[in-house]
Amino acid sequence: KAGVTQTPRYLIKTRGQQVTLSCSPISGHRSVSWYQQTPGQGLQFLFEYFSETQRNKGNFPGRFSGRQFSNSRSEMNVSTLELGDSALYLCASRPGQNTEAFFGQGTRLTVV
Amino acid sequence: KNEVEQSPQNLTAQEGEFITINCSYSVGISALHWLQQHPGGGIVSLFMLSSGKKKHGRLIATINIQEKHSSLHITASHPRDSAVYICAVMDRLEYGNKLVFGAGTILRVKS
């Protein structure tokens, strides 16, 4: 069974640009969560999607958004990039509520 | 005060030693996760538990719900155990699968 796949693995963007990251969950998993990891703040929850609906959202500005498609694949978008958005972005999929999380390898975003 | 506190922050051990990493949390939880992160970023879920004790190979995780405390033990540690170990909790009052993370424990096992 294939694991959680995140693309791209590495990305360099310029301040002010926007970026879209992709996450393909394990087949059959309906929940996809996104997390940001920085040296200063550690791991922080961005949002969770379940059956194409955003179920929970972390404390991030509106520049961070996401969506989930009918095949459970998810994308997150960051608009008007800032230097502080440089981070490792991780997604995790789960089969359902309160079940084990399976993480992708992450996308390392660098904003210059 | 952070919702999830881990100790120690850094730990250096000799190969073969017994290792304990602690996690304390301040909210009522539905589950607690222990995660492992190697250099390069990928995270692996080691355990998810809501009560008692779980064992997988040389790893043991325990949780005391009343005391809001969990421990991760590594028996007969090996250099390949060197990684960051992260405790994360699911607040039982939160809808969905939101995780709140500890700052992590950096473990280095020397041969």
Side-chain angles (χ1 to χ4, degrees):
Chain A
K1 205 173 192 183
V4 179
T5 304
Q6 289 188 245
T7 56
R9 289 291 312 278
Y10 303 92
L11 205 47
I12 300 175
K13 289 285 189 179
T14 305
R15 260 185 312 175
Q17 286 187 314
Q18 74 158 16
V19 68
T20 299
L21 312 181
S22 178
C23 174
S24 293
I26 291 172
S27 177
H29 287 195
R30 295 163 66 191
S31 165
V32 175
S33 302
W34 287 90
Y35 304 92
Q36 181 197 63
Q37 187 177 35
T38 59
Q41 299 296 321
L43 273 160
Q44 294 182 283
F45 171 79
L46 278 158
F47 28 66
E48 182 201 6
Y49 286 88
F50 187 91
S51 294
E52 301 180 64
T53 301
Q54 187 180 90
R55 197 152 72 158
N56 210 334
K57 192 176 191 303
N59 190 24
F60 279 82
R63 300 184 297 106
F64 291 81
S65 63
R67 59 179 174 168
Q68 187 180 34
F69 302 95
S70 58
N71 62 358
S72 292
R73 189 178 72 85
S74 178
E75 288 181 347
M76 68 162 279
N77 185 78
V78 188
S79 62
T80 320
L81 284 165
E82 301 176 359
L83 295 179
D85 298 332
S86 295
L88 180 67
Y89 291 88
L90 290 150
C91 83
S93 78
R94 293 175 177 82
Q97 172 72 16
N98 224 5
T99 54
E100 187 176 7
F102 294 83
F103 287 81
Q105 289 294 307
T107 294
R108 188 165 296 281
L109 171 66
T110 302
V111 182
V112 297
Chain B
K1 187 176 187 295
N2 292 331
E3 287 182 51
V4 182
E5 298 275 358
Q6 279 186 244
S7 63
Q9 285 185 302
N10 290 279
L11 182 55
T12 299
Q14 206 61 41
E15 184 174 358
E17 283 186 359
F18 180 85
I19 288 163
T20 296
I21 299 170
N22 296 298
C23 175
S24 297
Y25 51 91
S26 57
V27 296
I29 67 167
S30 54
L32 181 144
H33 296 247
W34 281 103
L35 309 171
Q36 180 193 57
Q37 186 173 33
H38 280 281
I43 288 179
V44 174
S45 176
L46 298 174
F47 296 102
M48 186 184 88
L49 62 165
S50 54
S51 65
K53 176 180 175 178
K54 286 190 176 180
K55 184 175 190 293
H56 184 248
R58 295 180 295 106
L59 302 177
I60 303 165
T62 64
I63 188 167
N64 184 319
I65 296 293
Q66 287 71 32
E67 294 186 5
K68 294 184 175 171
H69 181 268
S70 175
S71 293
L72 176 69
H73 306 286
I74 304 175
T75 62
S77 59
H78 190 276
R80 65 174 173 266
D81 297 326
S82 298
V84 179
Y85 292 84
I86 303 166
C87 168
V89 302
M90 290 176 59
D91 187 333
R92 63 182 168 84
L93 296 181
E94 289 274 2
Y95 182 57
N97 287 314
K98 176 182 175 180
L99 286 175
V100 178
F101 299 87
T105 295
I106 302 171
L107 171 65
R108 182 181 168 216
V109 181
K110 297 195 287 186
S111 57

